[in-house]
């Protein structure tokens, strides 16, 4: 009997051991928890958009669900590239855009909250939200824009990143949010 218990423990230890080998470069970890916040009863129901319109050629509506991939954008870099298509994954964020309002597949509102962080809330959007509308997709370079800007910031917070509409300190790097068309595979 003891032999069987030791054999089971040995098999479990082997199965649960970390995979060894040459690791590939890890993808940065983004904290999408704030992107998926819970409902707030004292939230913002109004559509609040930046005043300066949108970049030329960018659209306030999409005819497809889409995801986003943050891409580093060193100073002076401009976004470029065709829109990629990816398979839907129920565990990953996908969005819709209608009349400049961004929503996730659960109907939460894409917004910039009081600390300048990009997240999804409610509805309604979190109390004190700065922007709840003004989003657009730019098909020429496959980017997401907010108002006139395609520029966002990823800011390190421990061992993950949060996304902001402006730099909040030295731990931030300029990024573009590359739009990826989401399809059922």
């Amino acid at each position: 009997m003891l032999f069987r218990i030791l054999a089971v423990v040995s098999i479990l230890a082997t199965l649960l051991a970390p995979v060894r080998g040459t690791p590939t470069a890890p993808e940065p970890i983004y904290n999408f928890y704030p992107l998926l916040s819970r409902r707030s009863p004292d939230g913002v129901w109004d559509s609040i958009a930046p005043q300066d319109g949108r970049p030329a050629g960018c659209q306030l509506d999409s005819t497809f669900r889409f995801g986003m991939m943050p891409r580093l954008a060193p100073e002076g870099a401009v976004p470029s590239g065709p829109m990629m298509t990816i398979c839907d994954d129920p565990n990953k964020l996908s969005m819709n855009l209608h009349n400049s309002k961004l929503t996730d597949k659960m109907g939460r509102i894409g917004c910039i909250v009081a600390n300048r962080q990009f997240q999804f809330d409610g509805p309604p959007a979190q109390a004190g939200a700065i922007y709840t509308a003004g989003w657009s997709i730019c098909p020429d370079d496959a980017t997401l824009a907010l108002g006139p800007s395609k520029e966002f910031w990823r800011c390190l917070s421990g061992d993950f990143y949060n996304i902001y509409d402006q730099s909040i300190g030295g731990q931030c790097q300029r990024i573009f949010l590359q739009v990826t068309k989401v399809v059922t595979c």
Side-chain angles (χ1 to χ4, degrees), residues 19-170:
V19 177
R20 291 181 179 86
T22 307
T24 58
E27 284 289 319
I29 297 171
Y30 290 89
N31 179 17
F32 286 115
Y33 173 74
L35 290 179
L36 307 174
S37 294
R38 291 196 162 85
R39 178 173 224 162
S40 169
D42 300 320
V44 176
W45 289 96
D46 296 333
S47 292
I48 306 168
Q51 296 296 315
D52 300 327
R54 64 182 186 269
C58 297
Q59 302 167 352
L60 300 177
D61 292 282
S62 70
T63 57
F64 54 88
R65 283 188 316 129
F66 60 93
M68 66 177 182
M69 297 186 331
R71 297 288 182 216
L72 281 177
E75 194 59 43
V78 294
S80 64
M83 188 176 303
M84 297 183 343
T85 299
I86 61 171
C87 293
D88 190 17
D89 181 337
N91 298 315
K92 292 191 178 176
L93 178 67
S94 68
M95 300 163 275
N96 292 300
L97 181 65
H98 178 68
N99 197 25
S100 88
K101 295 176 190 163
L102 192 62
T103 55
D104 69 4
K105 59 186 155 191
M106 297 184 72
R108 293 174 285 213
I109 301 165
C111 54
I112 301 297
V113 296
N115 69 353
R116 309 306 299 204
Q117 188 171 331
F118 172 34
Q119 65 186 46
F120 286 86
D121 281 325
Q126 184 179 117
I130 297 169
Y131 299 124
T132 60
W135 300 95
S136 60
I137 291 179
C138 307
D140 291 346
D141 54 21
T143 56
L144 185 64
L146 176 61
S149 179
K150 298 178 183 181
E151 181 177 277
F152 292 87
W153 299 85
R154 74 175 194 179
C155 301
L156 192 59
S157 178
D159 59 353
F160 59 86
Y161 292 95
N162 288 317
I163 299 174
Y164 296 83
D165 72 331
Q166 63 186 30
S167 177
I168 60 162

